[in-house]
Amino acid sequence: MKLPFISDKEPQRPDSLISGNNAEQTGASCQQGGQEIAGLVDLYSPEEDEPVSVGHSRDVLDVLLELQSIDASEQSKIRTEHAREPQKDIVEFILENNLVPEDDVLVANAEMHSMPCRRINTETINEEAFNKLDAYFIRTNWLCPIDVEDETLVLATADPGNIFAVEEAKRLTGMPAKLVLALKSDIESLFEGIEQERNDYKLDDIISDMTDVEVVQEEQRDFEDLEKMAGQSPVIKFVNYCISNAIHEGASDVHIEPKPKNTRIRYRIDGVLFEMMKSPLKMHPALVSRIKIMANLDISERRLPQDGKVSVIVGGRGIDLRVSTLPTNHGEKVVIRILDSNSIMRGLDRLGMAEDVKEAFEQQIAMPHGIMLVTGPTGSGKSTTLYSALAQMDGDTLNVSTVEDPVEYELSFCNQVHVRDSIGLSFAAALRSLLRQDPDVIMIGEIRDRETACIAVQAALTGHLVLSTLHTNDAPSSVTRLVNIGVDPYLIAASLNAILAQRLVRRICPKCKEQYTLPENIQKHARHSGIQPSELFHGKGCDSCRNSGYAGRLGIYEFLVIDEKFRDMINKDSSVNNMRQAFSQSGQASMFDDGVAKIKQGLTTLEEVLRVTQVCLEEESNITVKPEDSGNNNKSA
């Protein structure tokens, strides 16, 4: 099948590049003799009054300007915005923020790499060609077979510099290949579309089939029949659909909840629950039994909660599912937590930390000993931050070990211990044994009690770096929490290095982002924080973000480094108010301050920042700030 090209014409190289003949002449002049080498300077000699400019390497923005897709002022504006996130590739940055139409970016990028380009979708590709490479290879290399032309495999790539993947694709298929440039989003959509077609899930048809299955009456419970029913095709298809669709939607949890008239199924996406579908209530026992069978749980036990784990492969990648059941008045509620290691190993550059906070955090995790705490409520991204910190360390030269309850994500670069209180393997017991294993870095899933806290302090004082989490509302109150647990203040002052407090806020959807006017009830927060009306954006809602206005999440942080002043204060008075007042007077940015900075960058909304920091603001409002510090009006908000 002939595919529609945006451009099949091989782009011409810029005239400024050296031609083949010139290259030969230049090479010939580079002899070993001193005179010939010195003669190189005569190849080009600027006029005396001609300025010699030192510019940047030609990039896609320059090509967009040459193609008149943008003007000079737009180019300058994009460069300024990109300078705030220099770790991102310029093409990725432009597309993520919807700064230039996708077609224009694709053509310009193809011109940069002297390649043809095309847009691709499920209707324009040859599925037989697509099947020549496995799903995992396509997803990890962004290299997708889309057609066969004259016995040559056409490969669409979003990463033209990955020549090793191209050579591997040739080896795996045994065919010569030609490359065309495509958008990463097109490859992603194509991949998911084909996977969805293969599953052949038609939800209405599945539910219709399910209604034909008879359910054993409540008073005549026959668990053998229930197990048989859980293995029937419509039930299996429906459960598989719920799980695979949740993964494609980027959900972190699936909630299957029995209600008086039906079963409600909700996904937690970006920290918020969305109702996705409903199924007949009489099929609820069969759904629960199917999930229990997958997780190797007891289907005959419906009176007690159960927990299990199942590994699945979706879209060519392995994903772990944590299954939890809970008896309710209408039946068993099931929550499936989706654990995708690709989503948690993000790297510190992608967590949303301000540059100064990231640098300070990196300095702290490079320390040889001491305690580094990450605090926040459940679901605030603490595990992601800690795993990203561990990934920064050299696992080949350091003995990195973790103690977790449970081990949710398996990490290849460290040794992980799963706490099992039922057999006596508590946090404290695991830590004691771990200290006899010559560790360099220890990550403790959570400091819950005095015994664990004291062992962590001892480990820090004896030359180990300890990373852990603590459930507190902000960074300063973590010190008081440790004192309340039972750790002596002088030990805290001697061992504690720093505390990072964090929350997750939802990102504004880039596809429906627009300026807007704040509701009157929160305008005072904008005024107090110095946010200008022109800096306020939100998402109006579109199909891509399920009409929520948000897509994805990022962190907001406050970072407290324990210096000598704080150590003296911990020894003298470690009360919550005293620690918060000292933090406020130190000039370090609070989570709300960091949230305001991200609002001004157009990344999130004031409503989101207030939603996750409201408790902290209410607590801070009780702190008396000295008059000379009142200029920090973010705190007074």
Side-chain angles (χ1 to χ4, degrees):
M1 182 189 302
K2 181 68 175 175
L3 302 182
F5 280 70
I6 285 179
S7 169
D8 277 327
K9 177 175 176 287
E10 294 287 344
Q12 299 296 316
R13 292 184 177 275
D15 296 337
S16 60
L17 295 180
I18 299 175
S19 67
N21 292 335
N22 288 341
E24 292 175 4
Q25 294 169 8
T26 303
S29 68
C30 296
Q31 305 296 327
Q32 293 299 318
Q35 293 179 347
E36 287 81 356
I37 294 174
L40 285 172
V41 298
D42 296 328
L43 290 175
Y44 171 70
S45 179
E47 298 293 334
E48 290 184 1
D49 58 349
E50 181 182 348
V52 180
S53 62
V54 181
H56 64 275
S57 299
R58 184 170 181 262
D59 63 12
V60 73
L61 277 177
D62 294 315
V63 181
L64 285 167
L65 184 62
E66 293 166 8
L67 297 174
Q68 299 182 349
S69 298
I70 58 174
D71 57 32
S73 62
E74 291 172 322
Q75 182 193 46
S76 176
K77 181 180 178 182
I78 294 173
R79 288 206 190 280
T80 302
E81 293 177 358
H82 180 241
R84 300 192 189 111
E85 300 180 68
Q87 72 278 4
K88 283 189 178 179
D89 176 73
I90 184 67
V91 174
E92 177 187 357
F93 178 80
I94 293 171
L95 291 173
E96 274 188 8
N97 293 280
N98 203 25
L99 301 174
V100 180
E102 290 181 334
D103 286 355
D104 293 348
V105 176
L106 180 60
V107 171
N109 201 21
E111 176 80 18
M112 275 285 300
H113 292 91
S114 300
M115 291 173 61
C117 60
R118 62 174 77 173
R119 298 299 298 266
I120 57 176
N121 56 53
T122 53
E123 297 178 357
T124 60
I125 69 120
N126 183 334
E127 191 167 347
E128 184 179 345
F130 181 87
N131 293 332
K132 290 184 180 294
L133 288 176
D134 65 70
Y136 180 78
F137 183 88
I138 294 171
R139 285 295 288 266
T140 52
N141 294 288
W142 298 107
L143 187 68
C144 175
I146 57 173
D147 203 2
V148 177
E149 297 176 355
D150 300 327
E151 299 184 356
T152 298
L153 188 65
V154 181
L155 294 170
T157 179
D159 184 8
N162 192 354
I163 58 174
F164 298 105
V166 176
E167 293 303 317
E168 181 65 9
K170 292 179 182 178
R171 186 188 70 79
L172 291 171
T173 60
M175 298 177 67
K178 111 177 189 181
L179 287 180
V180 298
L181 194 67
L183 295 171
K184 184 181 287 189
S185 58
D186 282 356
I187 295 177
E188 178 78 15
S189 299
L190 170 66
F191 181 87
E192 291 184 354
I194 288 182
E195 287 295 304
Q196 198 78 355
E197 287 177 8
R198 286 176 179 172
N199 290 332
D200 195 25
Y201 289 137
K202 294 183 179 178
L203 189 56
D204 293 339
D205 293 343
I206 295 172
I207 292 178
S208 176
D209 291 342
M210 289 170 62
T211 58
D212 296 333
V213 181
E214 291 297 328
V215 183
V216 180
Q217 294 299 317
E218 194 72 19
E219 61 271 15
Q220 298 176 345
R221 233 175 253 138
D222 186 333
F223 296 108
E224 291 182 1
D225 288 347
L226 196 58
E227 183 171 2
K228 179 181 178 181
M229 185 172 62
Q232 293 179 2
S233 178
V235 177
I236 292 175
K237 282 186 177 181
F238 187 77
V239 172
N240 290 351
Y241 174 81
C242 289
I243 294 172
S244 62
N245 188 51
I247 293 169
H248 290 147
E249 290 284 346
S252 60
D253 303 270
V254 179
H255 292 243
I256 301 173
E257 304 165 327
K259 297 300 177 185
K261 295 183 180 180
N262 51 46
T263 295
R264 180 173 66 171
I265 297 172
R266 297 191 291 171
Y267 295 167
R268 187 177 294 279
I269 302 173
D270 296 336
V272 177
L273 284 169
F274 293 87
E275 183 175 314
M276 305 302 289
M277 63 194 84
K278 292 179 180 179
S279 69
L281 182 62
K282 67 178 184 177
M283 288 310 305
H284 185 78
L287 296 179
V288 175
S289 295
R290 170 58 186 165
I291 295 169
K292 285 183 176 181
I293 290 168
M294 292 173 64
N296 200 26
L297 300 178
D298 183 2
I299 67 168
S300 66
E301 180 55 76
R302 304 176 66 181
R303 301 165 301 170
L304 295 174
Q306 295 187 68
D307 296 291
K309 179 180 178 181
V310 58
S311 297
V312 298
I313 296 176
V314 178
R317 68 183 192 268
I319 291 175
D320 288 331
L321 306 176
R322 295 273 179 189
V323 177
S324 173
T325 68
L326 180 70
T328 69
N329 57 336
H330 294 294
E332 289 181 281
K333 176 185 175 182
V334 180
V335 175
I336 303 172
R337 187 174 187 196
I338 300 169
L339 305 175
D340 183 2
S341 58
N342 291 338
S343 66
I344 196 164
M345 294 308 301
R346 306 186 64 178
L348 294 178
D349 289 337
R350 299 181 60 192
L351 296 183
M353 290 184 183
E355 196 61 33
D356 57 338
V357 172
K358 184 170 77 73
E359 289 177 2
F361 185 74
E362 288 175 337
Q363 290 173 4
Q364 290 300 322
I365 61 177
M367 298 286 282
H369 54 78
I371 297 177
M372 167 74 212
L373 292 177
V374 179
T375 75
T378 300
S380 60
K382 300 187 299 297
S383 296
T384 300
T385 300
L386 285 178
Y387 285 151
S388 299
L390 294 178
Q392 296 279 106
M393 301 175 183
D394 187 355
D396 294 330
T397 60
L398 295 174
N399 179 8
V400 181
S401 301
T402 74
V403 183
E404 304 170 68
D405 181 21
V407 175
E408 294 184 341
Y409 299 90
E410 294 187 2
L411 310 176
S412 60
F413 48 80
C414 62
N415 310 292
Q416 296 173 276
V417 179
H418 184 168
V419 169
R420 299 179 187 272
D421 288 318
S422 59
I423 61 172
L425 184 59
S426 62
F427 272 109
L431 278 173
R432 287 195 196 92
S433 297
L434 199 57
L435 289 174
R436 294 192 287 270
Q437 293 277 317
D438 185 32
D440 296 300
V441 179
I442 302 171
M443 193 272 273
I444 306 171
E446 181 186 349
I447 293 179
R448 297 177 177 174
D449 51 42
R450 181 181 183 276
E451 191 175 14
T452 303
C454 289
I455 296 173
V457 168
Q458 291 171 9
L461 293 176
T462 53
H464 306 88
L465 178 63
V466 179
L467 309 180
S468 187
T469 69
L470 200 64
H471 287 287
T472 58
N473 286 330
D474 54 16
S477 61
S478 301
V479 175
T480 310
R481 172 69 174 149
L482 289 175
V483 173
N484 293 339
I485 285 176
V487 184
D488 292 328
Y490 75 92
L491 291 175
I492 299 173
S495 60
L496 190 59
N497 288 347
I499 306 164
L500 179 76
Q502 67 178 75
R503 298 286 191 280
L504 291 179
V505 294
R506 292 180 289 173
R507 285 180 180 268
I508 299 172
C509 175
K511 295 188 177 180
C512 59
K513 180 178 177 181
E514 65 176 12
Q515 283 191 323
Y516 79 123
T517 303
L518 278 176
E520 290 186 6
N521 61 328
I522 60 172
Q523 286 183 4
K524 61 179 181 180
H525 293 290
R527 291 194 298 269
H528 291 164
S529 306
I531 303 173
Q532 301 300 318
S534 60
E535 297 173 322
L536 291 167
F537 294 87
H538 79 155
K540 65 179 179 181
C542 62
D543 292 340
S544 298
C545 62
R546 296 163 297 278
N547 291 312
S548 67
Y550 298 98
R553 290 191 289 179
L554 75 158
I556 58 173
Y557 305 88
E558 66 182 23
F559 195 51
L560 169 58
V561 177
I562 306 298
D563 55 19
E564 292 306 316
K565 177 182 176 181
F566 274 99
R567 295 188 199 281
D568 291 341
M569 190 170 298
I570 292 170
N571 281 319
K572 294 175 183 177
D573 180 6
S574 56
S575 64
V576 175
N577 283 342
N578 196 37
M579 295 304 300
R580 284 180 178 155
Q581 186 166 344
F583 178 74
S584 179
Q585 294 173 356
S586 69
Q588 299 180 69
S590 69
M591 278 185 289
F592 184 74
D593 297 331
D594 192 30
V596 168
K598 289 177 170 62
I599 292 169
K600 292 182 177 181
Q601 294 171 26
L603 299 176
T604 189
T605 63
L606 182 57
E607 291 93 330
E608 268 296 289
V609 173
L610 290 174
R611 179 177 67 86
V612 300
T613 62
Q614 195 69 51
V615 174
C616 302
L617 290 173
E618 289 172 358
E619 290 174 345
E620 284 186 4
S621 65
N622 296 324
I623 300 172
T624 302
V625 182
K626 293 181 179 179
E628 60 267 24
D629 297 316
S630 60
N632 188 359
N633 50 23
N634 290 344
K635 295 294 181 183
S636 63

